[in-house]
Amino acid sequence: MPSPFRRAPLVRLLRSLAILLLAWLALSWLVVLVLRFVPPWTSAMMMERQLGAWIHGEKDFRLRQHWVPWTQVSAWVPLAMVAGEDQKFPYHHGFDLDSIQDALDAADDGRRLRGASTISQQTAKNLFLWNGRSFVRKGLEAYFTVLIELTWPKQRILEVYMNIAELGNGVYGVGAASEAYFHTTPARLGPAQAARLAAVLPNPRRLHADRPSAYVQRRADWIQRQMYQLGGPAYIEGRGPPRARR
């Protein structure tokens, strides 16, 4: 029978770990709750990019980002991002199970692994985490996605996403991107410009909204068609029927 004196340090250790875990859970939820109302001043992805520039000696690198409230952004911008990245966004609860299953089926068939991240998941990753494909990061991404979906309304998720998404090398958010690429404010962006911004989201350091390649232009045209087929800006308010990606 184990001595109670030997068990005591183990019990204290387990109790300490449980307290630390509960404290971290409470703190992470508190941060998410605060960010429902307060604009984030930076993001994990921005800090990672800035740190990478310092490490690699990119002396000309300049990070550009500034917050633009929802009411000062053209309704075409969030619609374009939904049309291009996550057409079920108004209706799911953070995870697109159909897309996840499709990605798993593609992997089983030996095809290239497809992304299945929703806008909620991308917001969680961009705001709190780092680049990578480890199970730890994916687990944390799922955790923060659940917190965000439980704490923020859909409009807030889109508002944060379009303000922290990378839209070019060192260009983050629709405010900096609209000025850098179209020399205008986010409120004056039209559907074609919004579609070009959304078109570069898969690889914003290689694709350019202001100098679109044939691929970017084709993708932007497709996104713009989807925007109209989804029913226009009313779709992101949940006033249209959910439609599958085409």
Side-chain angles (χ1 to χ4, degrees), residues 70 75 78-79 82 89-90 154 158 232-239:
W70 178 272
L79 176 62
V82 167
F89 174 76
K154 288 289 188 176
L158 266 179
Y235 183 74
I236 59 175
E237 299 171 4
R239 300 207 307 264

Side-chain angles (χ1 to χ4, degrees), residues 16-65:
S16 298
L17 291 175
I19 292 172
L20 286 174
L21 177 61
L22 290 173
W24 183 82
L25 293 174
L27 179 61
S28 60
W29 177 78
L30 179 61
V31 170
V32 171
L33 178 62
V34 169
L35 291 177
R36 172 175 177 170
F37 307 101
V38 178
W41 61 273
T42 188
S43 72
M45 286 295 163
M46 290 184 223
M47 291 190 289
E48 181 181 319
R49 180 68 185 93
Q50 183 67 76
L51 180 61
W54 288 335
I55 291 174
H56 295 103
E58 299 178 45
K59 296 181 180 179
D60 296 329
F61 176 79
R62 180 168 67 93
L63 194 149
R64 289 171 284 179
Q65 188 269 347

Side-chain angles (χ1 to χ4, degrees), residues 205-225:
R205 297 184 197 175
R206 295 186 61 184
L207 306 177
H208 306 282
D210 56 337
R211 295 175 283 109
S213 63
Y215 167 78
V216 170
Q217 193 58 59
R218 285 195 305 271
R219 180 168 167 78
D221 291 342
W222 177 84
I223 290 172
Q224 195 169 350
R225 289 195 301 272

Side-chain angles (χ1 to χ4, degrees), residues 7-8 41 54 62 70 81 97 121 123 125 135 160 186 204 233 242:
R7 291 171 54 190
W41 61 273
W54 288 335
R62 180 168 67 93
W70 178 272
M81 292 182 173
L97 300 182
Q121 290 174 272
T123 303
K125 181 193 74 172
F135 287 111
V160 172

Side-chain angles (χ1 to χ4, degrees), residues 18-241:
I19 292 172
L20 286 174
L21 177 61
L22 290 173
W24 183 82
L25 293 174
L27 179 61
S28 60
W29 177 78
L30 179 61
V31 170
V32 171
L33 178 62
V34 169
L35 291 177
R36 172 175 177 170
F37 307 101
V38 178
W41 61 273
T42 188
S43 72
M45 286 295 163
M46 290 184 223
M47 291 190 289
E48 181 181 319
R49 180 68 185 93
Q50 183 67 76
L51 180 61
W54 288 335
I55 291 174
H56 295 103
E58 299 178 45
K59 296 181 180 179
D60 296 329
F61 176 79
R62 180 168 67 93
L63 194 149
R64 289 171 284 179
Q65 188 269 347
H66 63 269
W67 180 267
V68 184
W70 178 272
T71 54
Q72 296 178 23
V73 178
S74 165
W76 296 110
V77 175
L79 176 62
M81 292 182 173
V82 167
E85 295 291 298
D86 181 10
Q87 292 190 7
K88 296 179 182 177
F89 174 76
Y91 302 98
H92 64 59
H93 299 289
F95 305 94
D96 185 346
L97 300 182
D98 291 335
S99 293
I100 292 172
Q101 186 59 55
D102 290 344
L104 292 175
D105 291 342
D108 288 341
D109 293 340
R111 288 175 282 158
R112 185 174 61 89
L113 187 63
R114 294 169 48 196
S117 292
T118 63
I119 284 176
S120 303
Q121 290 174 272
Q122 292 179 51
T123 303
K125 181 193 74 172
N126 291 347
L127 195 55
F128 297 114
L129 302 171
W130 62 94
N131 275 312
R133 293 183 176 274
S134 69
F135 287 111
V136 172
R137 195 198 66 76
K138 294 300 290 184
L140 288 171
E141 179 185 298
Y143 168 71
F144 279 108
T145 298
V146 171
L147 282 188
I148 286 172
E149 281 280 341
L150 290 174
T151 309
W152 299 358
K154 288 289 188 176
Q155 179 176 302
R156 180 60 173 176
I157 297 173
L158 266 179
E159 182 180 34
V160 172
Y161 177 69
M162 67 184 179
N163 271 286
I164 65 172
E166 187 176 15
L167 294 166
N169 187 23
V171 179
Y172 291 81
V174 64
S178 60
E179 293 171 2
Y181 303 141
F182 305 119
H183 310 291
T184 189
T185 63
R188 301 184 67 180
L189 292 176
Q193 294 167 316
R196 280 162 61 183
L197 288 180
V200 306
L201 283 168
N203 196 339
R205 297 184 197 175
R206 295 186 61 184
L207 306 177
H208 306 282
D210 56 337
R211 295 175 283 109
S213 63
Y215 167 78
V216 170
Q217 193 58 59
R218 285 195 305 271
R219 180 168 167 78
D221 291 342
W222 177 84
I223 290 172
Q224 195 169 350
R225 289 195 301 272
Q226 294 296 298
M227 291 158 65
Y228 290 114
Q229 290 176 9
L230 290 171
Y235 183 74
I236 59 175
E237 299 171 4
R239 300 207 307 264

